């Protein structure tokens, strides 16, 4: 499906990004594999991650080039797109899979933990998308695939930074889809649920005899790749401004926020009338205040 296309994949040295890079190459794309090889919390660097992914693609007869840049820096993101142009002569798709976690309950979260996660998930998505945009505009084609999360769309404990970034990615993707449609460019989001290094801490308190542990381990990153491949292919030319979810063999379409109900008060609202009249009228449609992603996507529904 991607013969002749050049795709940049960030965070492609491990996990979901790597599975996507391999799948793109199998479908005929030339792939720039971006990954500085940071640890789970964003520290350190290991160029072997990207190199190994490129070697695996080459062993299968594909074409790939390793890029080790930090996409939280505009120059780093620009280098990813430049590598596409220098080594493969064009750029057709950008898949933003890079990210890491620095989880903490809100009252314990530091500004450093906040900034680091926002910078890689939201800032990185901005930087790489902005770097690709002039080329997409000029050729009047291109596709962005951004990674959001159920943590941002629904909620999760101890992830205010990650949740804010991932919901921000949805806003970014929506704006790209609207602003770039006139140039034949589309933008979509994927909210993956998969067992990767980034979420392996969820299993730390589980026993290997725990059914939940075994179910969690079945959520392969490879299951996310087909949708990403499709979204950067020509077959998805009429698919834009959508949010998809993938969990094992299940693919879902998320709704966007829309008004559920509205109540008009011809006399105008006061704080007291809101308490007495409006809230009792709307309460039946309130979202659960304590709902998290696991409540919507429990493991036992796989």
């Amino acid at each position: 499906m991607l013969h002749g296309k050049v795709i940049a994949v960030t965070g492609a040295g491990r996990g979901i990004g790597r599975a996507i890079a391999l799948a793109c190459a199998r479908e005929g794309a030339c792939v720039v594999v971006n990954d500085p090889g940071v640890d789970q919390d964003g520290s350190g660097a290991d160029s072997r991650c990207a190199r190994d992914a490129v070697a695996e693609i080459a062993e299968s007869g594909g074409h790939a080039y390793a890029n080790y840049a930090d996409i939280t820096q505009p120059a780093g993101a620009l280098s990813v797109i430049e590598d596409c142009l220098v080594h493969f002569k064009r750029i057709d798709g950008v898949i933003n899979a890079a990210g890491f976690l620095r989880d903490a309950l809100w009252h314990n979260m530091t500004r450093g933990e906040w900034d680091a996660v926002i910078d890689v998930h939201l800032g990185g998505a901005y930087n790489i998308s902005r770097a690709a945009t002039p080329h997409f505009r000029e050729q009047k084609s291109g596709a962005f695939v951004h990674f959001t999360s159920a943590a941002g769309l629904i909620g999760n404990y101890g992830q205010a930074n990650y949740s804010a970034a991932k919901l921000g990615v949805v806003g970014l993707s929506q704006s790209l889809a609207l602003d770039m449609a006139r140039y034949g460019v589309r933008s979509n989001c994927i909210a993956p649920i998969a067992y990767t290094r980034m979420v392996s801490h969820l299993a730390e308190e589980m026993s290997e005899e725990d059914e939940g542990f075994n179910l969690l381990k079945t959520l392969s990153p490879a299951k996310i790749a087909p949708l990403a491949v499709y979204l950067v292919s020509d077959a998805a030319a009429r698919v834009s401004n959508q949010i998809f979810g993938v969990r094992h063999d299940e693919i879902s379409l998320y709704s966007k926020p829309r008004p559920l109900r509205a109540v008009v008060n011809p006399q105008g609202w006061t704080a007291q009338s809101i308490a007495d009249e409006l809230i009792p009228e709307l309460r039946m449609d309130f979202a659960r205040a304590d709902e998290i992603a696991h409540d919507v996507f429990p493991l036992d529904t796989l």
Side-chain angles (χ1 to χ4, degrees):
M1 292 186 77
L2 300 181
H3 179 71
K5 293 193 179 296
V6 178
I7 309 297
V9 186
T10 70
R14 287 179 284 216
I16 292 172
R18 183 171 182 144
I20 290 171
L22 295 174
C24 286
R26 285 195 301 271
E27 291 289 343
C30 296
V31 184
V32 168
V33 174
N34 163 258
D35 202 317
V38 300
D39 294 333
Q40 185 173 319
D41 64 356
S43 60
D46 186 352
S47 62
R48 290 176 298 177
C49 298
R51 287 205 312 268
D52 289 350
V54 167
E56 187 173 349
I57 289 171
E59 288 170 5
S60 300
H63 301 282
Y65 185 83
N67 176 286
Y68 315 110
D70 176 3
I71 64 165
T72 67
Q73 303 300 314
L78 183 61
S79 77
V80 178
I81 304 306
E82 288 175 341
D83 278 345
C84 292
L85 300 172
V86 168
H87 296 281
F88 302 121
K89 310 306 180 187
R90 59 183 294 114
I91 173 68
D92 297 288
V94 170
I95 300 175
N96 289 315
F100 54 75
L101 296 176
R102 291 191 184 175
D103 291 356
L105 291 174
W106 170 247
H107 51 274
N108 294 325
M109 184 172 289
T110 66
R111 182 57 189 255
E113 290 166 338
W114 173 270
D115 287 345
V117 171
I118 295 291
D119 283 350
V120 67
H121 290 279
L122 184 54
Y126 164 81
N127 287 336
I128 193 78
S129 299
R130 191 66 188 85
T133 289
H135 307 285
F136 285 175
R137 285 185 64 194
E138 183 177 355
Q139 68 196 27
K140 291 184 169 50
S141 66
F144 295 106
V145 177
H146 309 278
F147 275 76
T148 183
S149 171
L153 297 165
I154 300 167
N156 202 17
Y157 297 116
Q159 292 191 318
N161 47 8
Y162 181 66
S163 296
K166 287 307 193 183
L167 196 53
V169 165
V170 172
L172 171 64
S173 180
Q174 178 170 273
S175 294
L176 285 174
L178 295 172
D179 290 351
M180 297 293 288
R182 71 189 70 183
Y183 304 107
V185 178
R186 57 197 187 275
S187 183
N188 293 284
C189 287
I190 297 175
I193 298 178
Y195 184 78
T196 66
R197 182 184 62 136
M198 202 167 84
V199 300
S200 59
H201 65 287
L202 297 175
E204 289 177 358
E205 297 181 3
M206 293 182 178
S207 162
E208 291 193 11
E209 287 73 39
D210 188 330
E211 184 180 356
F213 177 85
N214 294 320
L215 286 170
L216 185 63
K217 295 280 282 190
T218 67
L219 301 179
S220 168
K223 296 289 188 177
I224 314 300
L227 178 59
V229 168
Y230 164 75
L231 289 172
V232 292
S233 76
D234 290 340
R238 298 180 63 184
V239 180
S240 191
N241 205 358
Q242 304 302 316
I243 307 167
F244 298 94
V246 183
R247 184 181 63 149
H248 200 54
D249 292 322
E250 173 187 273
I251 296 179
S252 55
L253 178 66
Y254 278 87
S255 64
K256 290 188 178 184
R258 296 289 185 271
L260 291 175
R261 301 180 65 197
V263 181
V264 176
N265 186 335
Q267 284 74 48
W269 292 103
T270 65
Q272 191 61 54
S273 65
I274 288 172
D276 295 340
E277 302 171 33
L278 179 68
I279 298 306
E281 182 71 21
L282 298 183
R283 189 177 296 279
M284 67 183 70
D285 291 312
F286 276 13
R288 270 180 51 189
D290 62 347
E291 186 173 62
I292 61 172
H294 179 72
D295 297 321
V296 178
F297 296 106
L299 288 171
D300 59 9
T301 61
L302 282 171

